[in-house]
C-alpha cells in the first residue's frame, strides 16, 4: 500500500498512532480501547502476550461486537501470516471483520534473492486463499526475530514492499527505541510503501521519527509507569500533542 492510500484510509495527514494493547481480559481491553478512542487514535492492535492465541479469539469476538466500527488490528504473538490468515478468513466468514494483522516476522530473507523468498511466498499464498480482506503489516528486521546485519536493512526493506501493505520494523526489544539511521534507511528503501515503527516510541523521542514513519505502534511509551497493560491517558495526550506540534504532515 502506498503512503497516499494509507493516509487516506485513516483520514489524517499526521503519522497515525495505533496503541498496542497487551490483552488480559475483555474488561481491561474494553477500558483501554475507550482511552485510545477518547485520545484521538483511529484504532488499536490487540496482542496475546500472556497466553495462547486460542484464548484471544473469544475476546476478539466480544470486542468486535462492542466496537463494531472501530479499526481493530490483531497480533497473534510469534504467529506468521501463513497460520494467522486462515483464522482471520474464518472470522471474516462469520461476520467478524478484523481490519489489520501485524506479524512480528514476515519471513523476509535478505540472504536470498528476490525470486527465492520461499516463506514469504507461502504467506502470500495463505493470504490469498484465506479471502481475508484486511491490512497486512509485516515485521522486517524486527525485534526478537533472526538478527539482520545493518548492511542488509536496505535490501530487506526493498524486498518487504513486495509482500505486505505496511512494512514495520523496530528497536532491539520491546520498549527499546529504533535506531534513527535504521529508520531513515527503511524510509528510503521502502520508496512509497507505508512504513511503521513498533517499539520504544515515547514523548521524548517521537520527533525523531515523525518525518519518516506513517504509522507509530505504541505500548510501553504511553502506559502507566511499570504497567505493561494499561494506557495512561495523559501520556497518550502528550504524545498526540507532540506529533501535531511538529507540523509534519504527509501531503495528499
Amino acid at each position: 500500500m502506498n503512503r497516499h492510500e494509507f493516509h487516506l484510509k485513516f483520514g489524517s495527514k499526521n503519522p497515525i498512532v495505533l496503541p498496542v494493547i497487551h490483552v488480559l481480559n475483555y474488561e481491561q481491553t474494553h477500558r483501554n480501547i475507550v482511552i485510545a478512542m477518547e485520545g484521538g487514535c483511529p484504532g488499536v492492535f490487540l496482542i496475546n502476550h500472556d497466553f495462547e492465541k486460542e484464548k484471544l479469539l473469544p475476546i476478539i469476538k466480544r470486542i468486535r461486537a462492542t466496537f463494531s466500527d472501530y479499526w481493530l488490528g490483531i497480533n497473534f504473538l510469534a504467529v506468521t501470516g501463513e497460520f494467522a490468515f486462515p483464522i482471520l478468513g474464518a472470522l471474516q466468514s462469520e461476520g467478524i471483520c478484523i481490519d489489520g494483522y501485524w506479524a512480528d516476522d514476515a519471513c523476509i530473507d535478505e540472504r536470498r534473492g528476490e525470486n527465492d523468498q520461499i516463506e514469504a511466498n507461502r504467506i502470500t499464498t495463505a493470504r490469498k486463499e484465506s479471502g481475508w480482506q484486511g491490512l497486512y503489516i509485516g515485521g522486517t528486521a524486527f525485534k526478537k526475530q533472526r538478527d539482520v546485519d545493518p548492511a542488509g536493512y536496505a535490501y530487506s526493506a526493498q524486498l518487504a514492499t513486495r509482500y505486505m501493505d505496511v512494512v514495520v520494523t523496530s528497536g532491539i526489544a520491546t520498549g527499546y527505541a529504533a535506531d534513527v539511521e535504521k529508520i531513515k534507511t527503511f524510509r528510503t528503501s521502502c520508496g512509497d510503501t507505508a512504513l511503521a515503527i513498533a517499539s520504544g516510541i515515547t514523548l521524548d523521542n517521537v520527533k525523531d521519527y515523525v518525518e519518516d514513519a506513517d504509522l507509530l505502534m505504541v505500548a510501553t511509551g504511553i502506559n502507566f509507569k511499570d504497567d505493561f497493560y494499561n494506557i495512561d491517558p495523559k501520556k497518550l495526550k502528550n504524545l498526540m500533542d507532540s506529533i501535531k506540534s511538529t507540523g509534519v504532515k504527509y501531503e495528499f
Side-chain angles (χ1 to χ4, degrees), residues 121-191:
N121 283 320
R122 283 207 306 265
I123 292 170
T124 296
T125 298
R127 184 183 183 186
K128 290 178 180 178
E129 291 179 348
S130 74
W132 179 66
Q133 298 298 309
L135 201 69
Y136 176 30
I137 300 97
T140 306
F142 203 79
K143 60 187 178 181
K144 299 182 180 179
Q145 310 306 311
R146 175 180 57 80
D147 287 338
V148 175
D149 189 313
Y153 287 162
Y155 184 48
S156 293
Q158 290 168 11
L159 285 171
T161 62
R162 301 175 57 189
Y163 291 96
M164 61 205 72
D165 299 306
V166 181
V167 178
V168 60
T169 195
S170 71
I172 60 172
T174 300
Y176 284 77
D179 179 76
V180 173
E181 290 306 312
K182 176 184 183 182
I183 299 304
K184 290 188 178 302
T185 296
F186 263 72
R187 174 71 279 153
T188 300
S189 303
C190 282

Side-chain angles (χ1 to χ4, degrees), residues 6-50:
F6 178 81
H7 285 272
L8 278 179
K9 176 178 283 290
F10 287 98
S12 176
K13 295 182 178 182
N14 296 119
I16 306 304
V17 175
L18 298 179
V20 178
I21 300 171
H22 298 97
V23 172
L24 292 174
N25 52 53
Y26 171 80
E27 291 75 18
Q28 170 257 353
T29 305
H30 183 287
R31 183 172 63 250
N32 281 276
I33 289 177
V34 170
I35 292 170
M37 293 176 73
E38 292 178 346
C41 300
V44 297
F45 281 95
L46 308 184
I47 183 171
N48 57 311
H49 206 276
D50 293 87

Side-chain angles (χ1 to χ4, degrees), residues 229-243:
Y229 304 99
N230 294 293
I231 299 170
D232 180 339
K234 291 182 179 179
K235 284 187 178 180
L236 176 57
K237 181 181 186 304
N238 289 339
L239 183 74
M240 299 294 279
D241 288 347
S242 179
I243 291 170

Side-chain angles (χ1 to χ4, degrees), residues 95-111:
I96 302 162
C97 295
I98 304 304
D99 299 293
Y101 187 69
W102 155 36
D104 294 338
D105 189 357
C107 299
I108 300 301
D109 192 343
E110 79 291 345
R111 300 165 301 181

